[in-house]
Amino acid sequence: MDSSPKNSENHRLKTRIKFLEKGAGDLQSCLAALRANEEKYRQFFETDSDAIIIFDADSLAIEDFNAAACQVFGYSVSEFLSLSFEKVCVFKEQTLSEMIREINRGEKEKKILRNHFMRKDRSIFPGAFFPGSFKSESGKKLFAAIRDISEKLKIEEQLKKSQEQLFQAQKMEALGTLVAGVAHEINNPINLVMYNIPLIKHIWHDFKPVMEANEEKHPNLKYGGLTYDFINDNLDQLIDDIDMAAKRVETIVRRLKDFSKKSSIQVKSDISINEAVENALRLAQSTIKKSKVVVNSVLCEKIPTIKGHLQSIEQVVLNLVVNAIEAIDHDHGEILIRTAFLKSEKVIIIQVQDNGKGMGNQTLEKIFDPFFTQKQADGGTGLGLSVSYSLIQSHAGEIICRSKPGKGAEFEIRLPMEPEQKSVKVLIVDDDSAIRKLLSRALKQEGNYVVKMSSNGTKALIKLGTYLPDLLILDLFMPQMNGLEVCQSIIMEKKLEKMKVVIITGRPDSPKIEEIKKIGFINVFSKPLDINQFVKDVGNMFFKDGI
């Protein structure tokens, strides 16, 4: 065995080379893994939908950012690299330096914070951001992952508003049931009092000469502990006071009834909002003159009519104007009434603004509650605004108030346009011309119906060959071809399968009724028809569920 120094040295060299080769291989593996991780995190960094900005902890100079940051803030790559982080922040509750110190101390890390940020166009947006820090060769770095939460806050605000409206509606519904019962219980006794007051006054005037004659004979006689002179001087006024108090109770009862019937406005017609405002101002004219408040109106000329109840809208505007006058406690009062039409939203706006004493948040939360009033000493019942709220709700609208103490108030009514209803094509088939004309007139008056008529089943089938109605109103018993035979024919026609069919008959006990129901025609009405109910039922077939 060769154990010369030279061979030993060679062996050591070979061993060291193998070790170095293995170390080099391991290093290459580590570098490859490091590059893979770096690429993975770089992809994560670049593809993250949140804006990520990395900046120096001392100078706050922005050193890196992802593509989302460019999109959110609107800067180019070169522009971003020339900025410091403070240029994109709008700190309101604390300074940026205070925030940075807290991040450096670890107090803000692992927390999602909210702040405002500024885009290149200088627009401000609310953002949620996650701050953090890390160390690099060039020193400590900070980062912020920022998300624009404008839409989120908008949705939260809308949800809060919807919840408040739901709560208010539920509260009003419960109170409506309660006050309806109270109004009913008070109504009969107060009517009795008001009926008897004039009678008592007549009796007093008829009895007055008798008491006067008796006073001459018995000058010290008292009636109920009162002298004749006191009664003679005061009884008329006492009766008038009772009458005034009874009428006040009667007014409260009437308003309670109005409040409890908030959704009972059934009869609606095409109304002009400007006309309602002008009528309300005429009704308030005497109050306006006494108050010496200047009332101006700016009414939009191009406002479409809406389906509504004119007197109800007049009452709401009148309530708001009178309330505005009463809220003005100085000698330079002004009220501005405006109307507008938001075409994009299909909403009509009525605004009533005043420069009165205004209200705080605590009052604003309660102004639409029944019986809430700040004018109790002056006879306020606290029902005006709650009734107004209910009347606007019955028009599927909303009424909101904006106010601050000493800054006046603005009430805004938003009334949505009803969606245009598609015309419903109707074919009326009946051998009685009076019935045909009656049904045609009733449908045209109550809805958007286009009506054609036929006098028997044969003519109806011929017409159905070229005319496809949405609704067929069909008499069951007619000459030549009866309603059952017409139905048996139309079920074979595929193009008529979506057509709704209503059967009318003066013989509801006929076996043909069961036959016609068996083949799928179940809408059967008996003559004589309750026309109003019939038209309502037909309308529900279309305008509730759609054609």
Side-chain angles (χ1 to χ4, degrees):
M1 184 175 179
D2 188 0
S3 58
S4 66
K6 187 177 180 180
N7 287 337
S8 297
E9 185 64 27
N10 287 340
H11 178 73
R12 284 195 300 271
L13 286 172
K14 287 180 180 179
T15 303
R16 191 169 293 178
I17 289 169
K18 286 182 180 179
F19 176 78
L20 290 173
E21 286 176 344
K22 183 177 182 301
D26 291 343
L27 182 60
Q28 286 179 345
S29 297
C30 289
L31 287 172
L34 185 61
R35 281 194 294 270
N37 281 335
E38 183 181 1
E39 180 62 25
K40 180 173 68 175
Y41 286 111
R42 170 56 66 175
Q43 286 182 2
F44 169 77
F45 178 77
E46 289 295 345
T47 59
D48 197 326
S49 59
D50 291 336
I52 302 175
I53 300 175
I54 298 173
F55 55 99
D56 186 77
D58 296 321
S59 67
L60 304 183
I62 294 176
E63 297 183 352
D64 203 357
F65 46 85
N66 62 356
C70 293
Q71 291 178 344
V72 170
F73 288 92
Y75 288 105
S76 66
V77 172
S78 58
E79 288 172 332
F80 237 135
L81 289 173
S82 66
L83 298 176
S84 66
F85 188 68
E86 60 189 344
K87 291 292 184 183
V88 299
C89 285
V90 185
F91 278 81
K92 293 187 175 182
E93 295 182 0
Q94 63 181 153
T95 65
L96 178 58
S97 56
E98 289 173 344
M99 174 68 75
I100 297 300
R101 281 197 295 271
E102 290 180 2
I103 294 173
N104 281 326
R105 291 197 299 265
E107 295 175 13
K108 293 289 187 182
E109 291 200 46
K110 299 182 180 178
K111 292 181 181 178
I112 295 177
L113 309 174
R114 286 192 177 186
N115 190 48
H116 286 77
F117 297 88
M118 183 185 294
R119 299 185 181 91
K120 179 182 177 180
D121 61 8
R122 303 194 67 77
S123 61
I124 307 295
F125 69 92
F129 76 102
F130 182 87
S133 64
F134 63 92
K135 290 181 179 179
S136 72
E137 291 180 357
S138 58
K140 189 169 185 178
K141 309 298 177 185
L142 303 178
F143 70 84
I146 303 163
R147 178 176 298 177
D148 185 346
I149 57 171
S150 305
E151 195 62 31
K152 180 176 182 291
L153 293 180
K154 185 178 177 182
I155 292 170
E156 286 177 355
E157 183 63 29
Q158 289 174 342
L159 179 61
K160 181 182 176 184
K161 185 178 178 182
S162 298
Q163 289 172 335
E164 288 173 352
Q165 289 175 337
L166 176 61
F167 175 71
Q168 181 73 6
Q170 290 172 335
K171 184 166 59 174
M172 299 295 255
E173 189 71 38
L175 284 168
T177 304
L178 173 65
V179 300
V182 172
H184 177 74
E185 292 299 322
I186 297 174
N187 195 47
N188 291 336
I190 202 63
N191 283 339
L192 186 63
V193 171
M194 293 182 67
Y195 176 78
N196 286 329
I197 287 172
L199 180 62
I200 292 171
K201 200 164 190 175
H202 284 309
I203 292 172
W204 156 237
H205 288 156
D206 289 344
F207 193 64
K208 189 175 179 180
V210 177
M211 290 184 68
E212 190 174 353
N214 199 41
E215 174 67 11
E216 294 176 0
K217 296 178 182 178
H218 308 285
N220 296 320
L221 189 63
K222 291 187 177 182
Y223 305 87
L226 302 174
T227 64
Y228 166 75
D229 289 339
F230 180 87
I231 294 172
N232 186 45
D233 292 340
N234 295 285
L235 190 57
D236 275 313
Q237 185 61 50
L238 290 171
I239 294 173
D240 287 342
D241 288 347
I242 295 170
D243 185 45
M244 182 182 67
K247 285 178 179 175
R248 176 167 161 70
V249 174
E250 189 262 344
T251 299
I252 293 172
V253 170
R254 187 175 66 252
R255 290 186 176 179
L256 285 171
K257 287 181 176 179
D258 289 340
F259 173 77
S260 67
K261 294 187 289 185
K262 63 184 178 183
S263 59
S264 65
I265 298 175
Q266 302 291 341
V267 181
K268 293 182 179 179
S269 57
D270 289 330
I271 64 169
S272 164
I273 292 301
N274 286 348
E275 182 185 352
V277 171
E278 289 166 349
N279 291 349
L281 288 176
R282 277 195 290 272
L283 291 169
Q285 203 58 44
S286 61
T287 305
I288 294 170
K289 285 180 180 179
K290 288 178 186 176
S291 69
K292 297 181 180 179
V293 170
V294 177
V295 178
N296 294 310
S297 59
V298 181
L299 307 183
C300 176
E301 294 181 1
K302 296 181 180 180
I303 291 187
T305 58
I306 64 168
K307 288 286 184 184
H309 189 256
L310 185 66
Q311 287 74 28
S312 296
I313 303 300
E314 288 172 0
Q315 181 182 342
V316 172
V317 176
L318 180 61
N319 281 345
L320 295 181
V321 170
V322 172
N323 282 355
I325 290 171
E326 292 174 348
I328 295 172
D329 54 359
H330 48 76
D331 57 4
H332 51 278
E334 291 183 7
I335 295 173
L336 176 62
I337 303 169
R338 288 187 292 208
T339 60
F341 175 50
L342 304 183
K343 191 173 181 179
S344 59
E345 299 180 36
K346 294 188 176 180
V347 169
I348 290 175
I349 304 290
I350 306 173
Q351 290 178 333
V352 179
Q353 296 175 320
D354 67 70
N355 63 345
K357 55 191 175 185
M359 295 170 279
N361 290 334
Q362 195 170 4
T363 302
L364 281 173
E365 291 173 1
K366 298 178 181 178
I367 55 171
F368 295 115
D369 289 355
F371 310 113
F372 177 77
T373 179
Q374 294 180 305
K375 302 175 289 186
Q376 198 160 8
D378 299 320
T381 62
L383 288 170
L385 284 177
S386 62
V387 169
S388 297
Y389 180 93
S390 301
L391 291 174
I392 295 303
Q393 268 204 323
S394 70
H395 287 76
E398 62 176 334
I399 177 170
I400 55 179
C401 179
R402 306 178 189 96
S403 183
K404 289 183 179 179
K407 300 291 185 181
E410 177 186 274
F411 283 85
E412 181 174 290
I413 299 166
R414 299 173 66 88
L415 297 169
M417 301 283 295
E418 288 190 357
E420 292 185 9
Q421 294 177 339
K422 181 179 175 182
S423 296
V424 177
K425 295 185 289 184
V426 183
L427 177 60
I428 300 173
V429 186
D430 197 302
D431 59 321
D432 188 330
S433 62
I435 294 291
R436 293 198 303 270
K437 291 176 182 177
L438 174 65
L439 290 175
S440 176
R441 186 168 59 251
L443 288 170
K444 288 178 179 178
Q445 285 176 348
E446 295 299 324
N448 197 10
Y449 296 96
V450 178
V451 180
K452 292 191 176 185
M453 296 180 281
S454 291
S455 58
N456 60 58
T458 303
K459 290 182 179 179
L461 285 179
I462 293 170
K463 188 161 286 186
L464 288 172
T466 56
Y467 177 68
L468 183 59
D470 301 302
L471 173 66
L472 175 65
I473 299 177
L474 185 64
D475 185 25
L476 185 55
F477 293 96
M478 295 178 292
Q480 297 185 31
M481 179 179 281
N482 61 38
L484 175 59
E485 292 169 322
V486 172
C487 289
Q488 289 169 336
S489 298
I490 63 178
I491 59 173
M492 308 299 293
E493 294 288 338
K494 188 171 181 62
K495 68 175 184 177
L496 299 175
E497 62 183 7
K498 291 185 178 179
M499 179 180 69
K500 298 181 189 295
V501 179
V502 168
I503 307 298
I504 54 176
T505 179
R507 292 153 63 181
D509 298 330
S510 169
K512 283 187 169 61
I513 299 293
E514 289 304 316
E515 290 183 57
I516 213 163
K517 285 183 177 180
K518 283 180 181 177
I519 59 175
F521 300 94
I522 59 173
N523 295 314
V524 180
F525 292 82
S526 299
K527 297 179 182 178
L529 297 170
D530 179 338
I531 292 297
N532 291 332
Q533 186 61 45
F534 178 78
V535 171
K536 183 178 178 182
D537 290 339
V538 168
N540 287 339
M541 294 170 65
F542 294 96
F543 304 127
K544 229 178 185 180
D545 305 320
I547 296 174

